[in-house]
Amino acid sequence: MSGPQESGVFTALRTQLQGAASEFAGGPDALEGILLGMVDDVDRAVREPLEIFPVCHHSPASALAMARRLREKQPKVVYLELCEDMAPLLTELRNCRLPVAVQAFAGEIDGFPQEWAPLSVVAPITEASAEYQAIAYALDTPGVELVLVDRSSDHVFQWDRANTSEAAETDGSPAEAEGAPKSEEAALHGKAVGVEIGDLRPRFAELEEHLLRHGKVRHWSEWWHQYVEVPLGDSDHDTYRQVMFLIGSLFRRLAPGDGSRVRVDEDRERYMWTRMREHLEATGTDPEDCLYVCGAFHAASRVEEFGVHGRSGAFTISPRTATTWQYGLIPSSHAAIEAQFGLAAGSVSIAATTWQKSLTRTRVRPYRLEGQAGARKSRAKKALPAGSAAQAPATDRLTGFLHQPPVLDSLDEAELLGWSVDIVRAARRNGYLASTADAIAVFETSILLAGMRDRAKPTPYDFQDAAVTCIEKDSVPGRRDVRRLVEIMMGGDRIGQVGYEALPPLARDVYDRLEPLGLKLQQRGVQRALLDIAGRPELEACSDVLWMLRRLMPAAAARPIMGERRLGERSIQESWDLALGTHQRALIELGYEGVSLEQVLEQRLRREAYGPRATTAGVLAAIEDTLLYLRSGRLADELGTHALKVLAAERSVDGAPEVLRRARALLAYYRTSRPELPAWIESFVKTGYAHYCTLLPTAFRDEDATVGQVAAMLGFLFSMESLALSLGCDRTQLELAVAQSHPDDPSKTALLWAAQVQLGTLSRAELRSRCAELLDNPLVVPSYPRYLNGFVHALEPVPGLADVVVEAVSNAFGRLPDAVLLPWLPLLITTLRKGAADLAPLLIREAGRIFPGRLPALDAWIPPWRMPQEDPFATSRAQRTATAPVGAALLAARPATCDAVAELLGCEDGWQQHDAPARPGAPLLSAHPATCDAVAELLGCDGGWAAAGDTAVAGAALTLRHPATAEALEPLLADR
């Protein structure tokens, strides 16, 4: 694009640069075009009627020049390069302690790919930044209007829909920070896209490498501090502007040809100039009374829309999408700014220290928002003077600035000596063996490094390198290295805080509800909260809030030390470690989702339950959280009904263990807390019973289904069987499913055998014989641990088989030779640890019950499965007849029991003599033969009915065989 008519201001500079290009390049070429084009960019910018103020983000020199210019010019309108939709938030900065970040947040998006959600844009603001000076001046000076002219937060993502990662680069954040600290403070911005004012860093890697090498510095932040910050710190306004225009033009002309990035840069410039012309036309403001604050990169723009007289109507601003954006302030820190925008670690802290020193040296009065924490009373709140300073005619200041030699500051020995002593003191506190000799070494090495880098006065970066060399040596005894200690000493990582009045309603509500704890929760750090709920019932509401915060926020924000919340249980005392001040950003972002914790939690539970990837286990977890935190039966019933649909749609058994655990917990809770079960859980049991019966044969054959998942299915079927059958399910369905199962895996085969034992189709004796056959087969012995793995998993659906599993393990250890057992043992241990670690305690308890408790008793111990099994009811009828007199004696010895039974049965004949015939009992036995037959069958009496004369004897024998029953009934029936 052809530039405007050149002025004669920079004619001498053009001539010199043209001659230098011809001399170094051997004639006119691209170098001459670049050099002369840079002068044209500067000339064009300084002649613009609307004064352009180029800045670099977080630059003390820019902030100092801005404070000076605002007091001189007193503009009526300040145009600021910041997202235009963030304007209403700026007034809340006075309620915060800097640094903070202005944030635009969108949790639910419309018009963007769903995988981008949530969208977040932040613009960090520090006191040592030119934009903060402009904001403070405009907000606290009557009659001044602040207009944000940059693209909206919605357009940040609109203009780069191809890749969200490029959006961060578009707004000036390099791919990786220069040694950015990976700390908690560095993550205060999360994954938000950063919006900067004044991104000044070469986009041409070779250029940056060239500048660092010839500047004898390690990283870009140090180069900028040495060659821009220090020379421009005391320069006048015109010199500052022209130098910044020149730097912006240099970086712009040497930028690589990334089409998408250049397009976004130019679109931003068209956007801003379009907004400024619209405002000027709408308000009729004189451009001489305005000030445009933007990055130096954009100040040297060459688009046709540049300037108040630029082309209009060619650029169309696209409408915003339907995404709903929410806005707020979040805490920021020096480390977070460095990490997000690719600055060297400690550079923002050094800039803050330089800012304070510059204010003291130049006696410039900065602007601070009225009422801001730590700010003095501002004197800027006064009416504008009648005639504000107009923009002076442009003069050539670049030639003199480029010709003058660098000013070498004299060595400030007192300052450097103080730094050396302070770093040694800090190092000793952190475990280093530092001494006075190290302080002297740091002092001398700092001077030496500065001399090697062609500067007389050591910079903080020289001092940092010297301290690392002289103190750290080759080890770090503590958690902080010397480089970090220097950063802390130079000002530290200042962390901002959003004030109570600037918080969203949800955050204020949280602080209000936790006020009974009596803690200063807005302070950073961990605080211990003790809740005696039994003694102070009002603290139960605080406990509810803390448990919801535990569910919604990062784990370190609210961490329970004592107390738990489970279904059907409530703690009477709790202890918490709270760090809400440290995680203030997370609390603020919760406020973007709703006005109360309950609303946000309900919305999240619904999203989890109704999401496209929701599983049955996930829905049951949401129901459990609903009952735990919200105590909402309505929402639990709604989610339970939805769980039925999710379960019916599942075709895999991946979540069976979790479904079993949560279904058992919910069923136990409802049985103990409600008079009847909810309809949804009854339907869930019926649906789950039929569903898992259908999937069971496939799961046994499926190689992807683990033995634990199949065991969980069987556990659901067996543990819920009684309820399912009472609700109308058919047990035949389960029997058919087991009969149709034919697994190939040894673990699942053992699990199938356990299921058949539970169903009664396989006896325990047959199961034991099958285990013995496995040990007898040498081809099967190597896979025997896998059979044991299946038996251990079978303890989930059939816990009564614990003794059989102990027997199977014991037989293996007792029968297998060492040559087989020793190689086989690691496989057994790893198999059980990997697949059945949670069921091992049940197995160990059963083994402890069976095996002797002391080692000497082990030699004489006989396993129960090797002892002869006797039938306790195998006595003959002759034996029963012989014991009849003993039975009669037992009746006489326990008369109270017989009296009570006789009273219940209405027998009033009383006791007879021993030698009297026992005929009165015979009619009762004859009148109710079915009862006697049933009792005889239960007790194993197969001798049949006795003769009439032997009835009393048979009854005595029946009583004799159950003396414990008579003894137990005596005290119970004596009261009757």
Side-chain angles (χ1 to χ4, degrees), residues 800-963:
L801 281 182
D803 57 337
V804 178
V805 179
V806 172
E807 177 182 347
V809 176
S810 302
N811 286 334
F813 278 89
R815 294 178 56 180
L816 294 179
D818 292 345
V820 176
L821 186 61
L822 293 180
W824 178 75
L825 211 58
L827 177 62
L828 173 64
I829 296 175
T830 55
T831 302
L832 295 181
R833 176 179 295 179
K834 180 180 178 180
D838 54 338
L839 297 172
L842 180 60
L843 190 64
I844 294 172
R845 285 197 302 268
E846 182 65 20
R849 185 185 68 83
I850 294 177
F851 285 86
R854 297 184 177 276
L855 186 60
L858 188 61
D859 295 335
W861 177 73
I862 299 177
W865 52 87
R866 292 187 180 178
M867 297 179 65
Q869 302 295 324
E870 296 183 359
D871 187 2
F873 306 110
T875 55
S876 63
R877 181 167 177 234
Q879 292 174 328
R880 292 199 304 270
T881 305
T883 56
V886 182
L890 181 63
L891 292 177
R894 305 287 181 178
T897 304
C898 293
D899 291 340
V901 173
E903 181 180 355
L904 290 175
L905 298 177
C907 299
E908 300 177 354
D909 296 340
W911 283 85
Q912 298 180 359
Q913 296 298 325
H914 180 67
D915 53 354
R919 300 297 297 172
L924 181 61
L925 295 176
S926 302
H928 300 282
T931 304
C932 294
D933 291 340
V935 174
E937 180 180 356
L938 289 175
L939 299 179
C941 300
D942 53 359
W945 281 84
D950 297 335
T951 304
V953 177
L958 184 62
T959 307
L960 174 63
R961 296 188 58 180
H962 296 280

Side-chain angles (χ1 to χ4, degrees), residues 659-669 712 715-716 719-720 796-797:
V659 170
L660 172 62
R661 186 180 67 83
R662 295 192 179 277
R664 281 177 174 174
L666 290 170
L667 188 60
Y669 168 75
F716 185 94
S719 61
M720 306 287 180
E796 175 72 46

Side-chain angles (χ1 to χ4, degrees), residues 423-482:
I423 189 59
V424 169
R425 183 184 298 114
R428 290 180 63 87
R429 285 198 301 264
N430 285 269
Y432 290 89
L433 298 178
S435 62
T436 305
D438 292 307
I440 298 173
V442 172
F443 180 87
E444 297 294 342
T445 307
S446 299
I447 299 175
L448 177 62
L449 288 176
M452 294 172 60
R453 295 166 178 173
D454 296 333
R455 42 187 179 253
K457 180 180 179 180
T459 65
Y461 298 98
D462 299 326
F463 172 75
Q464 188 178 57
D465 293 341
V468 172
T469 302
C470 299
I471 298 177
E472 188 167 294
K473 309 294 191 305
D474 59 348
S475 62
V476 179
R479 66 186 183 92
R480 288 174 176 155
D481 56 11
V482 174

Side-chain angles (χ1 to χ4, degrees), residues 410-418 443 447:
S410 59
L411 174 62
D412 189 346
E413 293 189 359
E415 180 186 54
L416 183 58
L417 187 60
F443 180 87
I447 299 175

